[in-house]
Amino acid sequence: MASEVPVNSLPLPSASQAYMDVSALEAGHLRVPFDFIVAGADPSEFMYCPSLAFCLRHSEAGSKIVFDLGVRQDAEVYPPKVQSMLDRGFLVNVNQSVAESLIKGGIPPDEVDAVVVSHLHWDHVGDPAPFTKATFVVGDGCRELLTSGYPLNPESPFLANSIPSDRAHFVTQSEFGTSIGPFPRALDYFGDGSMFIIDSPGHLPGHVTILARTSNDGAWIFLGGDAAHDFRLITAEKDVAYSVDICGHVTCAHLNRDVAVETIRRIGALLEIPRVQILIAHDYTWYEANKDGPAFLPGVIPPL
């Protein structure tokens, strides 16, 4: 039985509370079968969606953080396991990389202080090369996927060089030493309550999300990566899809469906807390309402 999810308030702002200005970044577009995402969906229906990335700027220090790097433009670099997916039509286009989105918005990639990568799937790791000075922050569960990645393991879907090893910060379980709202494991990244990296297991080892303040008077944003692929999963209108093949193997968008469902329930608890905005990487509804608008850099996603 899934545990009860506590619906707590989030910490009140201090008198001089720092926060993060958050902007969306274009980072490629995908075509995903709906029945891979949502239980009971028509197999003939597809989700045409973005792979969103985000730029966060600290209101006091000016530190620049990028969350996820989207899809590579040079798709031929991906491992054969990924190439087979692309050949089946998963990738639609990458009109603008994250680096290009930043430059268009006035931020050179070599000015980015840290890149937080939600997880190591091909549509989130992008191209790390332009981020020459950034620390790459990932969950500790990513470590083994990298050390056994392609080309060291020809069967791996993960590039071994997805993260620059000399600038990697693998966030250990002991570093997730605080709790916030419905999340029991979090890292206060700047130590001032402005941005928390959240341990968000289930989808893939090392999966992390971000919960950040977006004003000094109590507004927040949750950036969910692939913790959920459709917003209706967060609102509990739909269930996570899964199927069992003739060999008894479970096919699901998440490596551990039960744990992923628990994470999604915790995210859903944020809906009960005022002034919290939730964005996931493949939110096609939000994208259609906001594309080419002020929510994208150099603009800012308006705080609630």
Side-chain angles (χ1 to χ4, degrees), residues 36-299:
F36 186 59
I37 301 299
V38 175
D42 187 329
S44 67
E45 291 184 333
F46 291 87
M47 178 173 76
Y48 293 88
C49 60
S51 188
L52 289 168
F54 300 90
C55 180
L56 302 90
R57 281 90 68 213
H58 192 277
S59 62
E60 301 297 328
S63 301
K64 300 176 182 68
I65 309 294
V66 168
F67 182 56
D68 276 349
L69 293 181
V71 187
R72 298 184 70 109
Q73 289 177 317
D74 52 348
E76 66 276 5
V77 172
Y78 286 125
K81 283 278 189 181
V82 173
Q83 294 292 342
S84 66
M85 291 182 62
L86 303 187
D87 291 342
R88 297 198 302 271
F90 270 74
L91 178 60
V92 176
N93 60 59
V94 190
N95 290 330
Q96 199 166 279
S97 69
V98 167
E100 290 170 340
S101 296
L102 287 166
I103 292 168
K104 182 179 178 181
I107 298 177
D110 62 4
E111 290 185 3
V112 171
D113 298 285
V115 175
V116 180
V117 178
S118 64
H119 64 295
L120 295 181
H121 276 148
W122 63 275
D123 54 323
H124 293 262
V125 295
D127 181 5
F131 301 90
T132 55
K133 299 176 183 176
T135 298
F136 280 72
V137 182
V138 293
D140 196 48
C142 294
R143 191 189 302 266
E144 184 176 348
L145 300 181
L146 292 169
T147 57
S148 61
Y150 180 86
L152 302 173
N153 174 7
E155 296 299 313
S156 173
F158 308 108
L159 284 170
N161 64 353
S162 295
I163 306 297
S165 58
D166 60 331
R167 287 182 280 124
H169 175 184
F170 294 95
V171 184
T172 64
Q173 285 298 305
S174 63
E175 289 180 271
F176 291 118
T178 189
S179 63
I180 182 169
F183 305 111
R185 296 179 299 278
L187 167 64
D188 185 348
Y189 188 76
F190 290 103
D192 60 6
S194 62
M195 188 184 94
F196 295 83
I197 298 178
I198 309 294
D199 183 25
S200 303
H203 179 62
L204 198 71
H207 190 279
V208 297
T209 55
I210 285 179
L211 179 64
R213 295 182 187 271
T214 52
S215 74
N216 61 5
D217 65 352
W220 296 81
I221 194 168
F222 178 81
L223 305 177
D226 271 4
H229 297 84
D230 187 297
F231 203 83
R232 294 172 297 174
L233 300 172
I234 296 171
T235 60
E237 299 169 72
K238 297 291 183 179
D239 293 324
V240 174
Y242 75 102
S243 60
V244 181
D245 64 24
I246 59 174
C247 297
H249 299 133
V250 175
T251 300
C252 179
H254 304 286
L255 187 64
N256 189 322
R257 183 182 184 273
D258 290 343
V259 174
V261 167
E262 177 68 9
T263 293
I264 292 170
R265 290 178 69 242
R266 293 184 181 277
I267 297 169
L270 293 174
L271 297 171
E272 304 297 321
I273 303 174
R275 303 189 68 191
V276 181
Q277 185 170 185
I278 302 172
L279 284 177
I280 50 179
H282 304 305
D283 193 333
Y284 51 90
T285 301
W286 184 89
Y287 179 79
E288 287 301 319
N290 289 277
K291 63 182 179 181
D292 302 321
F296 284 78
L297 197 71

